[in-house]
Amino acid sequence: MRVIQSISEMQQIAQAARRAGERIAFVPTMGFLHEGHASLMREGRLRSELLVTSIFVNPTQFGAGDDFDCYPRDPERDCTLAAAAGVDLIFAPTSREMYPAGYQSWVDLERITLPLCGASRPGHFRGVTTVVTKLFNAVLPHLALFGKKDFQQLAVIRRMTLDLNLPVEIVGMPIVREADGLAMSSRNAYLSPGERHSALCLSRAIGGAREQYRQGVDDVSRLRAGVLAMLKGEAAAVVEYAEFRHGETLEEVTTAGDNTLLALAVRIGTTRLIDNCLLGEEN
Ligand code: AMP
C-alpha cells in the first residue's frame, strides 16, 4: 500500500489506472480510522480495481471554536487498518498542498446546507464541498463512498454531484455502531468513561422515536417531544438540535413517513456527537 502526498502524482496514478480500464473507488476520511471507515473501504474494495482512501483533516471545514487543533491523529494505526480493509493507496496531502498561498476558490451550496449542522457550524459545508470537489479532482474516482452517519453531508454531496454534473457515483453506507448502540466516530475518543455512558442517550432516543413511529405515531411534534424527553433524561447531555426533516431535501416536515430523517446533535461535556436515522429504515 502506497502513501501519496502530491496531487499531481495522485492524478497521474488515477489517469494511468483509468487508461488501463480500472475502476477507481474512493473513501474520503479525516483519519483516526475505525470500523465505520473500514466498512466503507471493504465495500469500495468489492466494487473497484483501485481503492483509494484519503486522510486529510480539512482545516476549512472547522470553525473558530472547533476541534481542528486537537482532532485525534494516528497515521501508523490508520495505515494498518486501511491495509487490512484492502486499500491500495492512501492520499494524504498536506494543508499547503491543498490550500497553497493565494488560494481563493470555494464550492458553496444553498438551501440544503442551511439547517442542522449548517446552522450550528457556519461555513462547515462550504469547507466540505470544496475539499470533496478538490479530492475528486485529485483521485478521479468512478465512485465515492460516504457514511450515513454524516447524513446531511451525504445529502449535500449527492446534491452537489448532481448540480455540478460530477461524473462520480455516490454510494451511501449504513451507520456502524458499537455493540451498545453508540455510533462509531473518531470523536468518541474524547469521551471519558462517564461521558461514554451518557452518550448512549442519542441511540436510545433514536430507538425510542423509531418504536413510537412503528406503533403508528406520525405527528412530528409528538415524536419530537418524546426524543427531547429522552435526551433531557441524561443530565450530561446538551441538545444542539433534534429535528425531523425530509430524507432528501432536508426540508421541515410536520407528519412523519418512512423517508423522514431524525437528526440529532448533542454535546456531552465538550464533545459534540451526531446521530440519525430514517424512521422507516433499520439503519
Ligand atoms: P470522517 O473521518 O469522520 O470525516 O468520516 C469519513 C467517512 O466515514 C464519512 O463518509 C463518514 O460518514 C464515514 N463514517 C464515519 N463514522 C461512521 C460510522 N460510524 N458508520 C459509517 N460510516 C461512518
Side-chain angles (χ1 to χ4, degrees), residues 120-134:
S120 40
R121 302 183 70 188
H124 170 67
F125 284 115
R126 185 176 90 140
V128 168
T129 46
T130 300
V131 81
V132 169
T133 305
K134 286 173 65 65

Side-chain angles (χ1 to χ4, degrees), residues 60-128:
T60 66
Q61 71 189 68
F62 287 79
D66 286 350
D67 55 346
F68 175 71
D69 289 330
C70 60
Y71 195 83
R73 292 165 170 86
D74 190 343
E76 275 179 30
R77 206 176 117 255
D78 286 350
C79 282
T80 309
L81 191 145
V87 168
D88 295 309
L89 200 158
I90 294 180
F91 178 51
T94 61
S95 289
R96 231 333 126 82
E97 178 76 357
M98 291 294 273
Y99 302 107
Y103 189 87
Q104 52 188 291
S105 301
W106 301 97
V107 179
D108 211 354
L109 275 67
E110 297 183 348
R111 289 190 304 285
I112 199 166
T113 64
L114 297 180
L116 305 175
C117 290
S120 40
R121 302 183 70 188
H124 170 67
F125 284 115
R126 185 176 90 140
V128 168

Side-chain angles (χ1 to χ4, degrees), residues 28-30 34 36-37 40 146-147 149-150 153 174-176 184:
T29 82
M30 298 205 299
H34 51 68
H37 298 113
L40 273 53
F146 293 86
K149 161 80 178 12
D150 300 274
Q153 170 175 280
I175 301 176
V176 177
M184 289 193 185

Side-chain angles (χ1 to χ4, degrees), residues 27-40 54 56 61 71 145-151 153-154 173-178 182-187:
V27 178
T29 82
M30 298 205 299
F32 211 68
L33 302 177
H34 51 68
E35 194 49 36
H37 298 113
S39 71
L40 273 53
S54 60
F56 180 60
Q61 71 189 68
Y71 195 83
L145 300 101
F146 293 86
K148 293 182 186 171
K149 161 80 178 12
D150 300 274
F151 193 95
Q153 170 175 280
L154 172 61
M173 294 291 292
I175 301 176
V176 177
R177 297 178 179 281
E178 303 284 358
L182 180 67
M184 289 193 185
S185 165
S186 305
R187 289 191 169 97

